C-alpha cells in the first residue's frame, strides 16, 4: 500500500481519470493521501499572439473545476493541484515535491512513434523516482 499517491489527470480526457481514481483509492494505505494533478500545457509563442491573453488563465480555471468535479463524484478527500508546463516534467516535479511513492496515470493508444506507451507515460515511467502504475 502507498502513503502518497499522485493521480495524473488529463482534463481533456476525464473519462480516463474515472478509471484510475478508484485504483488510487484501493492502493492507498490507511491514512494515506491522494493528490489529483492536472497539467495545463504551455502554448507556443506563435499561438499566443493569436489568442486572447486570458486563455491560459481560463484553461487553469477549467482544469481546477474538472478536478474538483472528479473529486466530488468519487467522494475523495484529496488534494488538487494544477500545474503549467510539459506534462511529464510537471508530474515528475509534483511527485518529487510531495514525496510521492506512487504515480498513477492513464496512457492513450500509442502510435508508431511511441509504440508501447504514450509519450507522457513513457517519460514518467523512465524518469520517476517512485513506483508508476500506467492504466491502459
Amino acid at each position: 500500500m502507498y502513503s502518497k499517491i499522485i493521480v495524473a489527470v488529463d482534463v481533456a480526457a476525464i473519462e480516463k481519470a474515472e478509471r484510475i481514481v478508484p485504483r488510487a483509492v484501493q492502493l492507498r494505505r490507511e491514512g494515506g493521501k491522494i493528490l489529483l494533478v492536472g497539467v495545463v500545457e504551455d502554448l507556443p509563442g506563435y499561438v499566443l499572439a493569436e489568442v486572447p491573453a486570458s486563455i491560459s488563465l481560463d484553461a487553469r480555471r477549467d482544469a481546477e473545476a474538472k478536478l474538483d468535479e472528479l473529486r466530488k463524484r468519487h467522494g475523495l478527500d484529496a488534494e488538487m493541484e494544477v500545474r503549467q508546463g510539459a506534462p511529464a516534467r510537471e508530474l515528475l516535479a509534483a511527485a518529487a515535491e510531495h514525496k510521492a511513492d506512487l504515480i498513477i496515470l492513464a496512457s492513450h493508444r500509442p502510435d508508431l512513434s511511441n509504440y508501447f506507451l504514450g509519450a507522457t507515460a513513457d517519460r514518467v515511467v523512465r524518469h520517476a523516482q517512485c513506483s508508476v502504475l500506467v492504466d491502459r
Side-chain angles (χ1 to χ4, degrees):
M1 301 301 236
Y2 299 93
S3 58
K4 187 69 172 200
I5 301 173
I6 301 280
V7 177
V9 179
D10 179 353
V11 295
I14 204 78
E15 68 281 354
K16 291 180 181 179
E18 296 290 349
R19 289 194 325 256
I20 62 176
V21 166
R23 289 181 187 216
V25 172
Q26 290 173 340
L27 293 171
R28 177 179 53 184
R29 174 181 296 151
E30 187 175 332
K33 299 202 181 293
I34 294 175
L35 174 64
L36 303 176
V37 178
V39 179
V40 175
E41 292 189 62
D42 290 326
L43 295 174
Y46 64 87
V47 173
L48 285 174
E50 302 297 323
V51 297
S54 66
I55 196 161
S56 183
L57 182 58
D58 292 344
R60 287 185 68 85
R61 286 182 182 148
D62 181 57
E64 289 169 356
K66 287 182 178 178
L67 288 177
D68 193 43
E69 288 172 21
L70 179 68
R71 180 173 63 173
K72 288 176 182 172
R73 254 193 319 279
H74 289 274
L76 282 178
D77 179 24
E79 298 173 41
M80 299 182 327
E81 185 172 300
V82 176
R83 300 175 72 98
Q84 184 134 3
R89 183 186 69 226
E90 293 302 323
L91 291 170
L92 292 167
E97 289 168 19
H98 294 281
K99 297 178 176 56
D101 49 358
L102 177 66
I103 301 170
I104 300 178
L105 70 161
S107 178
H108 64 80
R109 292 288 175 205
D111 58 16
L112 290 176
S113 67
N114 47 17
Y115 186 71
F116 295 107
L117 294 173
T120 299
D122 180 60
R123 288 184 187 106
V124 170
V125 166
R126 290 179 191 273
H127 300 287
Q129 299 298 310
C130 63
S131 297
V132 179
L133 176 89
V134 180
D135 180 76
R136 273 258 184 95

